[in-house]
Amino acid sequence: MRKVGLLAAASGLALLVSACGSGSEGTEADGNAPAGLARAGEVTFCTDPEYPPMEYYAEGDTGTPIGFDSDGAKALAELWGVEAKWQITAFDGLMPGLQAGRCDILWTALYMSPERLEVADATAFLETGPGLIVRSGDTSITSSEDLAGKTVAVQGGGSNELTIKALSDELEAQGLPGITVQAYPKTAETVAAVTNGKADALIETDVAVVEMVNKSGGALEAVPDIFPADTKFGVFTKKDSPLSPAVADGIRTLVENGTLQEIAVEYGLDPSRVVTG
């Protein structure tokens, strides 16, 4: 699933674009803006808008990302009375981009893994976990043990890759064949690997599985209950940043007033998975 190797080099191709959401464009700080923003009157979010329904571009639009994360970020900016801007960043440059100060906040469907929490602060906003996708009609995988000796595609550099490698180690410890892990830079490449028969399955965050299956035209299907929903997505800030408590307070407000739940429903997500903390 998702996402970013902590020590990967930041992408040099990041593109800064302004958000166009109602209520945030062109606004100025009104006294609600927290300390720690790089520029007065605006908050910049690092994102990789290639992960529907969390962050993506609407068809024909390559300027303003939409999705649960993107709309949530705009809601946070509106709460603070500042303009939302986006630092469009390649997946492996997301956490380095935050650390280098290219954005104030990293909000783009990243697990709150122990490795990330060592280098950044985070506030939870959505419970999640890995999901598994296979070619339609493939009934050979119904449990995690059935992945022994299989080839599994994954977007490289993130927690899902660690999960599938850990499972491979567990299977080998039981005397079973390990898993051949195929890591790709983009999720679309993992889909192609399964569709074309290069991989038996792909592991992806559960929130993205439904979207990927729906867009496959019947070529793919999800296998339920292979992995537990055992982690949370987080909104990340620099370690010990003055923004960290402000983000936590802001996310809590957006949960308590129902804003994030409404956004979840809009994008086909389970609103009961929305959390804070």
Side-chain angles (χ1 to χ4, degrees), residues 115-179:
E115 294 82 6
R116 292 186 181 117
L117 294 177
E118 287 181 0
V119 298
D121 294 330
T123 297
F125 66 90
L126 193 71
E127 292 179 331
T128 185
L132 195 78
I133 294 177
V134 298
R135 288 183 295 279
S136 291
D138 183 353
T139 60
S140 66
I141 301 173
T142 60
S143 69
S144 59
E145 288 79 10
D146 292 334
L147 290 171
K150 302 290 189 181
T151 299
V152 177
V154 63
Q155 185 177 26
S159 295
N160 283 329
E161 185 176 12
L162 297 177
T163 294
I164 199 65
K165 287 182 176 179
L167 176 58
S168 181
D169 291 341
E170 292 175 12
L171 294 172
E172 289 180 346
Q174 298 171 25
L176 297 171
I179 299 169

Side-chain angles (χ1 to χ4, degrees), residues 259-277:
T259 297
L260 291 186
Q261 291 89 331
E262 291 176 4
I263 296 172
V265 170
E266 179 180 354
Y267 289 99
L269 302 177
D270 183 354
S272 70
R273 291 279 193 95
V274 174
V275 297
T276 186

Side-chain angles (χ1 to χ4, degrees), residues 213-237:
V213 169
N214 287 342
K215 287 187 174 181
S216 74
L220 302 174
E221 62 183 62
V223 183
D225 303 323
I226 299 295
F227 304 100
D230 58 357
T231 190
K232 297 175 182 178
F233 284 135
V235 181
F236 293 84
T237 48

Side-chain angles (χ1 to χ4, degrees), residues 93-131:
L94 286 166
M95 189 61 75
L98 175 67
Q99 301 298 332
R102 295 185 178 92
C103 57
D104 300 300
I105 295 170
L106 172 51
W107 190 341
T108 185
L110 287 183
Y111 287 164
M112 289 175 59
S113 66
E115 294 82 6
R116 292 186 181 117
L117 294 177
E118 287 181 0
V119 298
D121 294 330
T123 297
F125 66 90
L126 193 71
E127 292 179 331
T128 185

